[in-house]
Amino acid sequence: MKNIIIFHFILVGILTACISPNIKEKNLVERYRPQIHFSPDSMCMNNPNGMVFYKGEYHLFYQYNPHSTEWGSMHWGHAVSDDLIHWEQLPIALYPDSLGNILSGSVVIDWKNTSGLGSELNPPMVAVFTYQNSILEKEGSNQFQTQGIAFSNDSGRTWEKYAHNPVLNNFGMKDFRDPKVFWDNETEYWIMVLAVHDHVNIYSSTDLLNWEFESEFTPNFGSFEGIWECPDLFPLTMKNGEDRKWVLLISLRNGAPNGGSGTQYFVGEFNGHYFIPEGNKTKWLDFGSDNYASASWSDIPEADGRRISIGWMNNWQYADEIPTTAWRGAMTIPRKLSLTKIYDQTMISSEPIEEFDAAVSEVKKLQPTKVNGEVLIENDFETPSVLTLRFNTSRRTALGFPEIFGLRLYNDMNEQVMIGMDNLNQMIFVDRSMAGWDNESNLFARIHYAPYFYNSDEIELKIFIDRSSVEMFTKDGLVVMTEQYYSSEPLNRISILSKNGEIEILNGSIKKLFSIR
């Protein structure tokens, strides 16, 4: 069996070496290929895994099937970046073995060499991941998911599996997956949060090899429509810098605000043993349909101080159907997270990372104006770009306050994406119902909504627009909507619209970004 597995890996390597150059040359100019988002050269990518910063590099591992554009034989792909925008794709990091496929997990730097897998002078990079044993699964066992580890002593370029895997066995739960591990300075233990069907288990360890159960997090509020996946537990600072709380991210395959996949979160306290949530309302990291399995980077230097997250820009309602060809899957742009207090609720604010400021190639300023109906502001729009619009919402004009206002991206085929404010219902929306492509179940081409949260004199929309996606940030980062679209031709025109009333634009800009391709 061992010889068969080795031969399989050699054959995959030969085939990859033979076809990758041609695939890469073709795919990176493909119609829908993102120009400011990470996407694999070929085949299927989904959840981000094991994000960690080490020796000047941001590491991004990810669920990867090198054999198909659909989910299947999962490996860990690997890419590195020094600015979170430009990525170098490296060879596959982790391959399946006799214990199973390699599902989601995390990576830590074992600075004190508690595991004994490296040295204090050269601390090991340790990956903690879920094994999925398809043979046990087919036999009907509920113990087909276990947790294993692998380690690297050369900055993640080569990996070795731990000889005594698994390090955490399954006690009989069908869904027992996605370990996120971090070092807790207060207890001086490694902490693992693990998704177990509809709750989270918390474990501790002194060495990453032996784990003890600490507690179970089962709140009496939140979304439980889909199984829980990809937990992430970390401390987060308030925007004013005066307070800190703990945040627990949980992704669900079903049950998000606009259907299908999404990431909810809980804010509370963690004492090294228990996570205790505050409030009683379900909170969502992103109200759009295409930000799933969001997770954050570990070991970002204290001098930087940011908590940065990224998500898989897709939804399991249609992930295997989107009309890309030799590749499927992309990541969102990285976002900086912080906490904000509003309506006596502590909420996450997500903002684009500052590194994009250095990626601007040209700027077009938009002058103040009033719009009643529709006004064209760009007739030759190109992606990737960032569009910013600031609207005056403090007063009604003589023509009345509009029912709907915002912007429209469109082309000569009458395909369009609309983004704006539904003032009658006090909702923010992204309308991709006429963007072109829809899946067989008609779950893609829809209008999606997000809450307005609070009234203010102004509302600013900041929208990152790529070849097949829009990411809208507003209300100080409290409302984010990430949405894919697949038009038959590029959406090359932008207009401002105001329905049944007049809206005032205070200022705005269109910033063209350099492509990473």
Side-chain angles (χ1 to χ4, degrees), residues 50-206:
M51 288 91 73
V52 68
F53 182 86
Y54 187 54
K55 293 185 177 180
E57 291 181 322
Y58 295 93
H59 290 259
L60 170 64
F61 300 89
Y62 50 90
Q63 290 286 275
Y64 185 59
N65 182 359
H67 311 302
S68 170
T69 56
E70 296 182 7
W71 192 92
S73 175
M74 301 317 291
H75 302 52
W76 268 25
H78 188 196
V80 293
S81 172
D82 61 5
D83 65 358
L84 289 167
I85 299 176
H86 300 84
W87 295 94
E88 176 188 358
Q89 189 162 316
L90 298 179
I92 291 172
L94 299 178
Y95 288 81
D97 59 37
S98 61
L99 294 177
N101 289 326
I102 312 296
L103 301 192
S104 292
S106 53
V107 170
V108 296
I109 308 302
D110 186 6
W111 294 104
K112 299 180 181 181
N113 193 34
T114 62
S115 63
L117 298 174
S119 67
E120 290 199 35
L121 291 177
N122 185 29
M125 183 179 286
V126 181
V128 189
F129 55 87
T130 296
Y131 272 118
Q132 176 151 310
N133 189 313
S134 58
I135 295 176
L136 290 178
E137 183 180 13
K138 289 176 182 177
E139 291 176 349
S141 170
N142 281 342
Q143 297 177 299
F144 61 88
Q145 292 183 342
T146 58
Q147 316 315 312
I149 67 173
F151 60 96
S152 171
N153 288 303
D154 58 0
S155 297
R157 267 54 181 184
T158 60
W159 290 84
E160 182 178 345
K161 303 274 182 57
Y162 180 54
H164 303 291
N165 276 334
V167 295
L168 181 60
N169 281 302
N170 190 331
F171 57 87
M173 292 297 294
K174 181 179 179 181
D175 302 304
F176 189 73
R177 63 178 69 172
D178 309 340
K180 180 61 184 283
V181 173
F182 64 93
W183 177 259
D184 181 46
N185 287 321
E186 298 297 323
T187 60
E188 295 192 332
Y189 286 152
W190 293 103
I191 300 295
M192 176 196 295
V193 286
L194 189 74
V196 185
H197 189 63
D198 61 356
H199 62 273
V200 168
N201 281 1
I202 299 175
Y203 299 86
S204 65
S205 174
T206 58

Side-chain angles (χ1 to χ4, degrees), residues 450-461:
Y452 188 66
F453 276 119
Y454 63 91
N455 293 319
S456 59
D457 292 343
E458 301 172 0
I459 182 171
E460 180 180 272
L461 305 180

Side-chain angles (χ1 to χ4, degrees), residues 39-51:
S39 59
D41 290 350
S42 62
M43 302 304 168
C44 173
M45 177 187 78
N46 57 291
N47 303 357
N49 298 152
M51 288 91 73

Side-chain angles (χ1 to χ4, degrees), residues 418-439:
M418 294 174 59
I419 304 166
M421 173 73 184
D422 180 340
N423 195 53
L424 291 180
N425 297 302
Q426 290 289 286
M427 300 287 282
I428 295 165
F429 70 89
V430 176
D431 182 352
R432 64 183 187 189
S433 62
M434 296 177 62
W437 179 80
D438 196 5
N439 73 325

Side-chain angles (χ1 to χ4, degrees), residues 212-229:
E212 293 186 6
F213 177 77
E214 290 285 347
S215 63
E216 178 182 302
F217 173 64
T218 308
N220 57 11
F221 67 98
S223 178
F224 299 91
E225 186 174 332
I227 60 171
W228 286 19
E229 296 184 320

